[in-house]
Amino acid sequence: MPFSAKGSLHGNFSSPESHSAAADIHFIVMAESRDIFYHGYDNYMKHAFPEDELRPISCKPLSRDMNNPAHFELNDVLGNYSLTLIDSLSTLAILASSPQTPKGKNKALEDFQKGVASVVKQYGDGTDQLSGQGLRARGFEIDSKVQVFETVIRGLGGLLSAHLFAVGDLPIRGYNPPDEEKRAAKASLKARERKGIRGIKWRRNFTYDGQLLRLAHDLGRRLLPAFHTPTGMPYPRVNLKHGIPFYPNSAFNHDAEHGQCGTTQQPSTEITETCSAGAGSLMLEFTTLSRLTGDERFERFARRAFWAVWNRRSSVGLIGSGIDAESGLWVGPYTGIGAGIDSFFEYALKSHVLLSGLTTPNATLPGVLDSARGPDDVFRPLGVDDHSGEAFLQTWQDAHAAIKRHIYRGPMYQHPHYIQADLFTGAVRAFWIDSLSAYYPGLLTLAGELEEAIETHLFATALWTRYSALPERWSTATGSIEGGLGWWGGRPEFIESTYYLYRATQDPWYLYVGEMVLRDIKRRCWTKCGWAGLQDVRNGEQNDRMESFFLGETAKYLFLLFDPSHPLNSLDAPFVFTTEGHPLIIPRPASNRKAVINRPASGTSANEVVNDAICPRAPSILPLSISATAARNDLFHAASLARLHLMPTTETLESPIVEFSNDHPSISLSDVRSPSNYTYFPWTLPPELIPSYAISSKAAARPTFDITFPVLPNMVLGPGTLQRVRDGIMVNSMGGLRLGMIQDTPSFGDSQGIVNLYRVQAINNIALGKDEKIFMDKDVVAGVVSTLDPNFSRIRDTTMLDIVIDHEESGNLHEGLAEELSMNVTGSPVITPSVDLTISTAAASNMRVAFNSLISHVSSMLREQPSAHVPKSNRAYIPAITPTGTGAAPIPDFEEAPSPDASGGATGPLVWQSVYFGDEMCNGRLAQSVPNDYQIIVVKRGGCSFSQKLQNIPSFAPSTTSLQMVIVVSYGDDDSMPTGWLVRPLLDQAQCTLGGLPRHNPIPMVMVGGGEQTYEMLRHATGVGVKRRYSMQAQGIPISNLIIV
């Protein structure tokens, strides 16, 4: 493919002779990314400054919609404070480290300093003196109602990052102000006056003395009223001049005399709904502001808001998108990793990085302002753990685990990607992804989850390749744009992830992906006055807006991708990029360079629990190839999921850039033809970089089928057929029932290793989460399921059953011992049994789950808090294990205990009422009256063998009132098993009497755990019964989430 002198990364770089040429072209593409920034920035300063944004098509400024206050898309962001300039300052500082230097001039550094001076000129220097008044306002005393989140990440983050570059805390190559000037710029006004040094002297008689930091404090202070909510989560909007008079329910406005709301104010219709990202993604900017100024309020409010969101996560560990700042209730049931949620996960991990080596605020900030204690005057003080950096890491790890469990779809679904799930169950709710979610591979890369990052980034790459941009929302189910949301506004998330992955892997694949993005932007988004967004990625229609983040993030990450020697790419310090792409760092004093970990006051530290992850090595490169990604065997799976074969096939697409190419030397033929994604199919690498022996693995297939049950006579139909209960759905009738089965749940077998289990993924077209269960009463199933049906058969468990106990609340039990024991023995490892001493711990763990599947979920229904008018149940279900060996007697077909109702209440009496307690029963023969008059004998484990205990029971004539079963209660753990496990009892001798005579009617025996608690519960038993365990199989394979009760 020919190209102009500007060059392209495409070419044969496999020979050593070509490395220098590759480096030259690498530098050329980096220069092109700089040109992209300056084409937008110069036109903004020429046509739009000091307004917020630029209209690149009409060459005019874009400001707030004063005629339509409800135009939130515009007014939430644009606050009339020169947003694009503030958002671009950190990009200018980054460009200044790698300048094009004709005659030694560093244009980017000069523009950075001019930009800072322009902000000060417009908005003052942040003091209360005459110099604090700017041309447009004193600080940010501007009558603009803005979104708190957008103002923090764009305005506040931009000011803080530029300040850190200005004082040298973030590096600019070649910019080395004298130390005394830097100290003066960081010092207070009084300290500077005492020392007689104002600050850092720049050109044009401008001295930087911390103006941006003071302006950041002014802006942050104007946002604080929004945090006075009942939940601690901020209201979504605030007026920079007037505060929050439109939220009358705020504690900030409760004082009618001194508050912002008058006594006659009408009820407000202002929206109080915020989002998880908006409320929980303030930690980086607010913490940096607090640590730099000594005003703790910001960090405390941000922490409180973060934990307020996280503490409201659902029982499956997911957080939603919309949440009400006043009530704390989730607004909608959908969740994912994209819009409304995205940066919460990002800030969980990055807060841990930013806070590394720092102690809690009170211990690190000298001279704390009195007003800094405001949040704790309004809310309960946060705990020690809530202040630790390790707590944020734990949050990220828990959140990632929940995402991987419920939202992530692995290779079994054509290629790994993410879906929209139900917040409360994790069930699939929609199949679309949005362009914002392209940030996630970059975050995974930072967290060391490299394989998941690479595979999901492949899909985003395929999608960009198809459309030459990322549509706002795209459906994996239909393979097309979802709901007409086909715009791309210049978002940075995809190129951001590409940057992180290249830094982690050094795989040239990501350079080609970056060039693809660069070419597509130049070809499709160029206008004579800047860079336009795409209204529709399918036809290239442009919209007349250049959002501030295009210069603040997109152009920045493109530049850093192609500048491997940039000082930020080798900075050995805990700095982070905010969600708006602004680098932040909290300067460490020279005496505090070693990490100081804040640990909880007692118990195991969070650091010891969670900080055990390591960054993996980059994937190894195959011999005679230079890209591990290009050689992946799932490369075409991603292409298939993105329907890449439907991409346009024309070699040259029309572009407005063509008519101006003669006057713009930065434009090449590659920009017009875009070889990166229209010449080579399906990926961005030239053919010579794809190994000739590379193969694509066979796409994984997911066995799925439906089971439908007919409607038989006397079957119940209607809305009562299915009943929502805790942890799942209870089936009350099989008539017309339809089960959607999928084989995707791995487990461990006894000897077969890893096996697959079927899972019910939908019932009557209702999608189920991976942890949701289907409960069926055995009597409901018995009349429908045929033992000859291979698709759906009921199997009785011969190893495990449940001892059912009705007990009275007397003595120690009246304090809730029975409920505590029921929870312990069913939901925790206290007395969970094992059947095999030789199995591995990993296999045992899965078997343990299988053994307890019934009782754990039945007990969860029992533990559901009953309504006030429902009496509390005193029925407990305790798992029991049957013995093995020649002396083991089968459990007869006793009348089973009835199943609990949907509220967990008892539904009928138990069959056995007489219980004898024999202690260890090792000291001789029992009295003849014991087996004749008692239906249950309870003995303690130990003292003698199981066989000897049974020998001490006299012979007796079987009847309904005589001995039915022996229950052995185990105390403590077996040393040969994992903690909390029981060994299956071994009866190695045939049962006989103490005199040696064989028993004609062997005695059934089971063993339970729980020690003295179980023994005490049986002492207070008013009835005892048994309940069999059943499992369901489909085509001979167990169904993991179908429970027979």
Side-chain angles (χ1 to χ4, degrees), residues 675-855:
S676 53
N677 63 348
Y678 281 97
T679 300
Y680 304 118
F681 175 85
W683 292 111
T684 64
L685 289 177
E688 58 266 22
L689 267 66
I690 300 178
S692 59
Y693 48 83
I695 60 174
S696 175
S697 63
K698 183 180 179 180
R702 294 175 293 114
T704 61
F705 63 94
D706 288 348
I707 301 175
T708 303
F709 297 90
V711 180
L712 300 179
N714 300 321
M715 279 190 171
V716 177
L717 295 177
T721 301
L722 302 180
Q723 182 180 4
R724 171 66 68 177
V725 295
R726 180 171 178 173
D727 294 337
I729 293 177
M730 175 71 78
V731 176
N732 296 319
S733 175
M734 303 289 287
L737 189 69
R738 181 179 180 181
L739 301 178
M741 312 296 296
I742 184 170
Q743 188 177 351
D744 71 346
T745 307
S747 183
F748 287 88
D750 293 341
S751 58
Q752 302 92 337
I754 297 179
V755 297
N756 284 325
L757 305 178
Y758 275 113
R759 174 173 62 87
V760 181
Q761 65 172 344
I763 179 169
N764 286 4
N765 294 324
I766 301 173
L768 299 178
K770 288 185 177 180
D771 294 334
E772 285 194 283
K773 310 298 178 184
I774 300 295
F775 301 100
M776 293 182 178
D777 189 284
K778 66 180 181 61
D779 297 328
V780 172
V781 176
V784 178
V785 176
S786 170
T787 57
L788 302 178
D789 186 352
N791 287 327
F792 199 74
S793 54
R794 187 181 72 167
I795 306 297
R796 174 185 284 184
D797 191 335
T798 59
T799 302
M800 296 292 299
L801 53 81
D802 297 295
I803 300 299
V804 186
I805 304 173
D806 281 345
H807 55 86
E808 58 187 15
E809 293 192 353
S810 61
N812 293 332
L813 293 179
H814 82 279
E815 296 296 336
L817 173 62
E819 182 177 357
E820 177 184 353
L821 177 58
S822 175
M823 293 174 66
N824 283 340
V825 299
T826 59
S828 75
V830 173
I831 61 168
T832 308
S834 166
V835 298
D836 191 346
L837 283 170
T838 63
I839 59 176
S840 68
T841 301
S845 177
N846 284 272
M847 294 177 65
R848 176 175 161 195
V849 173
F851 289 151
N852 288 285
S853 60
L854 167 63
I855 198 64

Side-chain angles (χ1 to χ4, degrees), residues 168-169 186 356-358 572-574 585-596:
D169 288 330
K186 300 177 184 180
S356 297
L358 296 176
D572 185 17
I585 191 171
I586 298 175
R588 271 67 172 170
S591 59
N592 188 33
R593 293 299 169 86
K594 294 183 179 181
V596 179

Side-chain angles (χ1 to χ4, degrees), residues 536-769:
D536 193 324
V537 298
R538 292 165 293 190
N539 57 30
E541 177 188 355
Q542 295 180 336
N543 63 40
D544 196 12
R545 183 179 182 184
M546 185 178 75
E547 296 231 34
S548 69
F549 56 65
F550 182 82
L551 301 182
E553 294 184 81
T554 307
K556 178 184 297 169
Y557 285 122
L558 269 174
F559 182 82
L560 286 172
L561 172 65
F562 295 113
D563 186 6
S565 65
H566 195 282
L568 281 182
N569 286 332
S570 58
L571 180 61
D572 185 17
F575 85 98
V576 294
F577 287 99
T578 70
T579 194
E580 189 70 11
H582 296 302
L584 291 181
I585 191 171
I586 298 175
R588 271 67 172 170
S591 59
N592 188 33
R593 293 299 169 86
K594 294 183 179 181
V596 179
I597 303 299
N598 174 54
R599 300 185 182 279
S602 60
T604 304
S605 73
N607 184 57
E608 294 170 343
V609 173
V610 302
N611 201 6
D612 56 356
I614 60 173
C615 292
R617 292 178 179 270
S620 58
I621 299 176
L622 291 179
L624 306 179
S625 71
I626 65 171
S627 171
T629 306
R632 287 178 63 96
N633 58 12
D634 62 347
L635 194 69
F636 288 84
H637 299 174
S640 175
L641 180 60
R643 281 69 159 185
L644 201 51
H645 59 285
L646 299 178
M647 67 185 290
T649 57
T650 53
E651 284 195 17
T652 303
L653 298 184
E654 294 183 1
S655 169
I657 200 172
V658 175
E659 60 181 292
F660 294 95
S661 59
N662 292 333
D663 300 327
H664 294 266
S666 67
I667 298 169
S668 68
L669 187 59
S670 297
D671 297 325
V672 179
R673 288 197 175 180
S674 188
S676 53
N677 63 348
Y678 281 97
T679 300
Y680 304 118
F681 175 85
W683 292 111
T684 64
L685 289 177
E688 58 266 22
L689 267 66
I690 300 178
S692 59
Y693 48 83
I695 60 174
S696 175
S697 63
K698 183 180 179 180
R702 294 175 293 114
T704 61
F705 63 94
D706 288 348
I707 301 175
T708 303
F709 297 90
V711 180
L712 300 179
N714 300 321
M715 279 190 171
V716 177
L717 295 177
T721 301
L722 302 180
Q723 182 180 4
R724 171 66 68 177
V725 295
R726 180 171 178 173
D727 294 337
I729 293 177
M730 175 71 78
V731 176
N732 296 319
S733 175
M734 303 289 287
L737 189 69
R738 181 179 180 181
L739 301 178
M741 312 296 296
I742 184 170
Q743 188 177 351
D744 71 346
T745 307
S747 183
F748 287 88
D750 293 341
S751 58
Q752 302 92 337
I754 297 179
V755 297
N756 284 325
L757 305 178
Y758 275 113
R759 174 173 62 87
V760 181
Q761 65 172 344
I763 179 169
N764 286 4
N765 294 324
I766 301 173
L768 299 178

Side-chain angles (χ1 to χ4, degrees), residues 54-348:
L54 169 68
R55 294 185 183 272
I57 297 176
S58 57
C59 302
K60 295 179 180 179
L62 178 64
S63 302
R64 295 173 58 81
D65 188 347
M66 306 301 293
N67 297 322
N68 182 13
H71 190 178
F72 295 132
E73 179 186 3
L74 206 64
N75 294 339
D76 275 355
V77 177
L78 307 186
N80 281 343
Y81 54 82
S82 309
L83 177 61
T84 296
L85 174 59
I86 292 175
D87 222 356
S88 300
L89 289 176
S90 63
T91 308
L92 285 166
I94 287 173
L95 295 179
S97 285
S98 305
Q100 285 180 315
T101 56
K103 299 181 181 179
K105 180 180 179 181
N106 190 334
K107 173 175 168 44
L109 182 58
E110 290 188 6
D111 287 340
F112 170 71
Q113 295 175 350
K114 286 168 59 179
V116 172
S118 296
V119 171
V120 173
K121 183 177 181 180
Q122 297 295 325
Y123 306 101
D125 64 2
T127 67
D128 56 4
Q129 300 175 358
L130 183 61
S131 57
Q133 177 64 51
L135 297 178
R136 290 171 66 90
R138 174 176 287 277
F140 295 97
E141 190 178 12
I142 304 168
D143 189 7
S144 295
K145 182 180 174 183
V146 294
Q147 190 185 91
V148 173
F149 171 65
E150 292 289 355
T151 305
V152 168
I153 65 172
R154 301 199 198 199
L156 187 62
L159 292 168
L160 290 171
S161 184
H163 167 76
L164 291 167
F165 277 113
V167 297
D169 288 330
L170 286 172
I172 299 177
R173 187 184 288 124
Y175 174 68
N176 299 300
D179 290 342
E180 59 180 11
E181 292 185 4
K182 289 194 293 185
R183 287 193 294 268
K186 300 177 184 180
S188 65
L189 181 61
K190 291 182 178 180
R192 287 197 302 272
E193 290 176 350
R194 287 197 305 268
K195 295 182 179 181
I197 301 175
R198 289 191 53 200
I200 303 171
K201 297 179 180 179
W202 289 349
R203 294 187 178 183
R204 296 180 175 85
N205 296 321
F206 184 85
T207 299
Y208 185 75
D209 59 9
Q211 295 96 324
L212 295 185
L213 179 59
R214 292 194 294 274
L215 287 172
H217 186 266
D218 177 82
L219 180 58
R221 181 176 55 81
R222 297 177 184 279
L223 302 175
L224 291 185
F227 288 81
H228 290 267
T229 67
T231 62
M233 291 180 284
Y235 285 115
R237 295 174 181 86
V238 66
N239 187 290
L240 295 179
K241 184 175 183 179
H242 302 296
I244 55 168
F246 33 81
Y247 293 119
N249 293 331
S250 170
F252 199 70
N253 294 321
H254 282 176
D255 186 344
E257 181 178 353
H258 301 99
Q260 294 188 315
C261 295
T263 56
T264 59
Q265 180 164 335
Q266 297 298 316
S268 174
T269 59
E270 187 71 23
I271 297 173
T272 57
E273 175 188 349
T274 184
C275 62
S276 295
S281 304
L282 310 171
M283 268 297 298
L284 301 183
E285 293 86 356
F286 269 28
T287 298
T288 303
L289 181 59
S290 281
R291 300 299 176 110
L292 293 179
T293 63
D295 189 342
E296 292 183 8
R297 291 177 299 174
F298 305 102
E299 183 174 352
R300 290 187 177 187
F301 273 125
R303 285 180 186 270
R304 190 174 302 280
F306 179 91
W307 296 120
V309 173
W310 181 241
N311 291 337
R312 286 170 170 80
R313 63 191 181 276
S314 69
S315 61
V316 296
L318 298 173
I319 61 172
S321 174
I323 188 170
D324 190 276
E326 290 188 341
S327 68
L329 299 177
W330 296 109
V331 175
Y334 279 42
T335 185
I337 61 168
I341 309 174
D342 49 359
S343 55
F344 180 88
F345 306 127
E346 181 183 359
Y347 275 42

Side-chain angles (χ1 to χ4, degrees), residues 415-464:
H415 185 79
H417 61 282
Y418 304 94
I419 48 91
Q420 306 300 308
D422 187 280
L423 167 63
F424 303 102
T425 68
V428 177
R429 288 291 175 257
F431 297 95
W432 52 263
I433 61 172
D434 57 19
S435 62
L436 281 169
S437 61
Y439 82 98
Y440 198 63
L443 180 60
L444 290 170
T445 304
L446 280 177
E449 305 289 343
L450 198 54
E451 174 59 24
E452 185 182 350
I454 292 172
E455 64 187 13
T456 52
H457 184 268
L458 270 180
F459 172 59
T461 304
L463 202 57
W464 183 289

